[in-house]
Structures are given as structure tokens and as C-alpha cells.
Amino acid sequence: MTKTKNYYLTIASRFGDLAVVWQENGRSVKIVEILLPHADEPITRRLRRLYGNILRSSAEPVLKLKKKLLTYLAGKQTFFGLSDFDLDKLYTFQRRVLDGCRKIPYGRVISYGDLAEKIGTPRAARAVGTALAKNPFPIVIPCHRVIKGNGLPGKFGGGEELKKDLLKLEGVRFYENSRVMREFIL
């Protein structure tokens, strides 16, 4: 049995360095995670801590994703398909949450509670938040578009400021008290 090797590619952005992690199995490439910039730890240190002996490399699907991520981070609406992503490790409820999250339009937000209702679990706002916190593909699956019921952005893997920055990139505006303006809420 061969041991699976992990590979990564970093992407420099105005928000900090992101990383795409993937595995190769014969001719097949499966993206397993996107790591967002984190103020407390450089991306390469996080990669080594999380994946050990990970190798820097590139592959066609990863280069295509990099191009799409850079297009998105330049402020242009971008569609991300999921055919090259490893979704097998997602549990059933998380998959439902992430599928619901993918339906949130660019430049719009929804509350955790309203997303829970849309996916058929009306009293599961906290469980939705937990599932989104474990989203392995932020930006591609736009968990930054899910906010607290009071209009505040809420937590995010890259930090609350990055969440606000991504929403602003999509044209979402905020009141002075940091709440999302009503016209951007579904």
C-alpha cells in the first residue's frame, strides 16, 4: 500500500498568502483543502504543522484553481466547480450545509439560522456554524457569506476582518456598527 503524498501551492494575495493542498493518485488530482491567510502563523509553517512532510508542487487543476482564486480576489465574480475537490471526507450534514452555502449569491449574505431553515433543519443554527467552521474549501464554498442573525459578520477561519474584506470585495456594505446593510441580506 502506497502512502498518500500531500502537495501544496501558495498563492500571494493582498490579504496574505493562501495555500491549496492536494493529493495525487495516479493521474487524478484531488484538492483536499484551501488554507486562508492567518495573522498568527505564516502559511508555510501552518502547512508543515498540519501536513508534516508536504511537498511544494503544481498540477493543472491546481493552477486553474489558482487563476480562479486570483480572479475572485481581484473583485470579479467567479464560478468554482467542485469536480477536482475531495468531498469524500465531508459528513452528511456538513455536505448539506455546504451545498446550501454554495447557493448564496455573490454579494449577498444569509444568517446561520436562515441557512439552517433553507436546508431543512430550522433550529440548527449552531450546527450550521460548526459545519461551516470545518469548511475545507473557503472562498470556493463561500462560508464568508453566512453571518450572525443580528447582522454582524461572525467568526471566520481567516479572521473576522478577512470575512468583512471578502464581503466588501463582493460589494456588500456595512453600517458604522459593522452590521451588514439590510439590502444585502437574503
Side-chain angles (χ1 to χ4, degrees):
M1 187 169 144
T2 56
K3 186 177 177 184
T4 304
K5 288 187 180 176
N6 294 306
Y7 301 91
Y8 77 95
L9 178 71
T10 55
I11 302 169
S13 81
R14 64 181 169 144
F15 303 109
D17 290 343
L18 292 84
V20 176
V21 178
W22 79 94
Q23 297 172 343
E24 209 167 41
N25 184 3
R27 293 184 171 183
S28 173
V29 169
K30 283 295 180 186
I31 296 164
V32 296
E33 186 172 14
I34 296 171
L35 295 175
L36 296 172
H38 201 281
D40 296 339
E41 188 175 28
I43 198 78
T44 51
R45 187 178 305 154
R46 275 179 63 216
L47 285 161
R48 300 268 181 245
R49 179 174 53 78
L50 295 170
Y51 290 94
N53 194 20
I54 191 167
L55 304 170
R56 183 183 182 111
S57 188
S58 65
E60 188 61 31
V62 179
L63 293 172
K64 286 179 182 177
L65 175 60
K66 176 182 178 177
K67 184 176 180 181
K68 286 184 174 194
L69 284 167
L70 289 172
T71 299
Y72 171 82
L73 294 169
K76 296 180 181 125
Q77 187 171 351
T78 308
F79 173 76
F80 296 97
L82 294 177
S83 62
D84 295 317
F85 291 80
D86 184 359
L87 304 173
D88 293 340
K89 293 181 181 101
L90 301 177
Y91 54 95
T92 305
F93 179 73
Q94 184 183 26
R95 191 176 293 237
R96 282 180 43 216
V97 170
L98 297 180
D99 285 343
C101 188
R102 288 193 77 218
K103 295 174 183 160
I104 305 166
Y106 183 89
R108 301 298 296 272
V109 299
I110 191 171
S111 72
Y112 293 99
D114 287 344
L115 180 57
E117 197 168 310
K118 281 195 181 292
I119 65 165
T121 54
R123 288 187 287 271
R126 284 184 190 254
V128 164
T130 300
L132 292 173
K134 295 176 182 177
N135 176 8
F137 311 114
I139 300 175
V140 171
I141 298 176
C143 54
H144 62 279
R145 296 182 189 151
V146 185
I147 62 169
K148 295 170 93 174
N150 64 5
L152 289 170
K155 294 183 180 180
F156 184 60
E160 191 172 324
E161 280 307 308
L162 179 58
K163 185 173 189 172
K164 283 177 69 175
D165 287 342
L166 293 175
L167 291 173
K168 287 177 185 175
L169 185 74
E170 295 184 16
V172 174
R173 295 195 331 257
F174 295 81
Y175 295 111
E176 286 182 24
N177 63 5
S178 292
R179 294 185 192 320
V180 172
M181 291 184 166
R182 284 184 186 87
E183 63 258 33
F184 297 98
I185 300 174
L186 291 175

